[in-house]
């Protein structure tokens, strides 16, 4: 699917589909939701992973607003900020980032104490938390799998906003759990060779429904 550019300049990625549910951006995201229904396994809970090549391609904007579109259908959705090297989601939602994914996975916080609520009734988020020295190792821990299992007791869909895959390897650890893997590129910004990289990832079969 394709999403038009947001007309207003925004200092950080934020939720816009709740403000104008009939906008072209909202409609384009609904179209992507419909298309992805053909790829997603038919089960009650799903995890969707989002990544891109480099910063600035719209990955976080997409993850936040796609989660919003899913929440508007009545699904209970939680966004996880897994970009622990360069966290952004807390800025867009204007929430505290003193605890989050890094503190959960290192055993310092219970996940229920880190959940933040959005302006949409069915949309919550867990920020990245303090920047750790070892984000890749944290995502490999059994605590990550345990967290996913716990979240599925409360939520229908987990939206995992991953780091850009062209810069670090963190995202590949998460995508093994995903039911749908979404790769974001930006017209007039992303390099053309990204397409061949995506094809290589697709052929590797390491990403479910890329």
């Amino acid at each position: 699917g394709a999403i038009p550019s947001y007309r207003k300049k925004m200092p950080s990625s934020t939720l816009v589909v709740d403000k104008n549910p009939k906008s072209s951006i909202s409609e384009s995201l609904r179209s992507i939701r419909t298309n992805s229904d053909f790829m997603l396994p038919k089960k009650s809970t799903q995890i969707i992973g989002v990544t891109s090549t480099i910063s600035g391609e719209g990955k976080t904007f997409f993850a936040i607003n796609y989660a919003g579109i899913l929440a508007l259908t009545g699904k209970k959705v939680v966004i996880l900020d897994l970009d622990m090297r360069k966290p952004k989601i807390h800025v867009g939602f204007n929430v505290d980032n003193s605890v989050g994914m890094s503190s959960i996975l290192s055993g310092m916080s219970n996940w229920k104490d880190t959940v933040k609520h959005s302006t949409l009734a069915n949309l919550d988020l867990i920020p990245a938390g303090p920047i750790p020295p070892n984000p890749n190792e944290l995502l490999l821990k059994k605590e990550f799998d345990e967290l996913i299992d716990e979240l599925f007791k409360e939520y229908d869909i987990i939206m995992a906003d991953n780091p850009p895959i062209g810069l670090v390897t963190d995202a590949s650890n998460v995508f093994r759990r995903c039911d749908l893997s979404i790769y974001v590129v930006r017209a007039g910004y992303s390099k053309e060779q990204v397409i061949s990289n995506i094809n290589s990832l697709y052929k590797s079969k390491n990403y479910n429904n890329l």
Side-chain angles (χ1 to χ4, degrees):
I3 302 167
S5 296
Y6 191 63
R7 287 191 292 271
K8 298 176 183 175
K9 187 174 177 62
M10 55 177 64
S12 60
S13 296
T14 190
L15 190 66
V16 299
V17 295
D18 59 330
K19 300 167 186 68
N20 191 351
K22 293 186 178 180
S23 68
S24 58
I25 285 181
S26 299
E27 291 299 333
S28 65
L29 287 163
R30 286 192 186 92
S31 175
I32 292 174
R33 184 197 71 207
T34 300
N35 291 341
S36 66
D37 283 343
F38 290 97
M39 301 174 69
L40 280 162
K42 298 297 179 276
K43 60 180 188 175
S44 58
T45 58
Q46 297 164 341
I47 177 168
I48 299 173
V50 183
T51 192
S52 64
T53 309
I54 57 174
S55 181
E57 291 176 300
K59 167 183 68 68
T60 297
F61 179 82
F62 173 84
I64 290 173
N65 285 284
Y66 192 50
I69 286 292
L70 294 170
L72 286 169
T73 67
K75 299 284 188 182
K76 287 196 69 178
V77 186
V78 61
I79 308 171
L80 308 184
D81 190 349
L82 300 183
D83 195 348
M84 288 181 275
R85 286 183 169 87
K86 198 175 180 182
K88 293 178 181 175
I89 285 181
H90 67 284
V91 179
F93 284 97
N94 194 27
V95 297
D96 179 54
N97 191 45
S98 59
V99 292
M101 291 300 303
S102 61
S103 43
I104 296 169
L105 298 178
S106 57
M108 294 188 290
S109 300
N110 182 287
W111 72 267
K112 291 185 178 180
D113 298 327
T114 69
V115 173
K116 310 294 181 185
H117 305 294
S118 76
T119 54
L120 286 179
N122 291 325
L123 181 62
D124 292 341
L125 62 136
I126 299 179
I131 298 174
N134 57 339
N136 194 35
E137 286 77 8
L138 286 180
L139 292 172
L140 285 170
K141 294 177 72 171
K142 64 176 175 46
E143 282 82 357
F144 177 74
D145 291 323
E146 291 169 356
L147 173 64
I148 297 299
D149 294 337
E150 284 296 311
L151 289 173
F152 275 146
K153 295 176 183 177
E154 301 280 338
Y155 298 96
D156 302 309
I157 297 173
I158 297 171
M159 182 70 64
D161 182 31
N162 293 282
I165 206 165
L167 303 179
V168 292
T169 59
D170 301 3
S172 59
N173 300 327
V174 179
F175 280 108
R176 61 190 171 84
R177 286 292 306 256
C178 291
D179 299 294
L180 181 68
S181 308
I182 296 177
Y183 201 113
V184 177
V185 295
R186 180 176 168 189
Y189 188 91
S190 303
K191 301 294 184 184
E192 287 185 15
Q193 61 262 34
V194 168
I195 302 303
S196 61
N197 292 344
I198 296 172
N199 284 336
S200 297
L201 292 172
Y202 180 79
K203 291 173 184 175
S204 74
K205 306 293 186 185
N206 291 329
Y207 298 77
N208 293 325
N209 286 326
L210 180 63

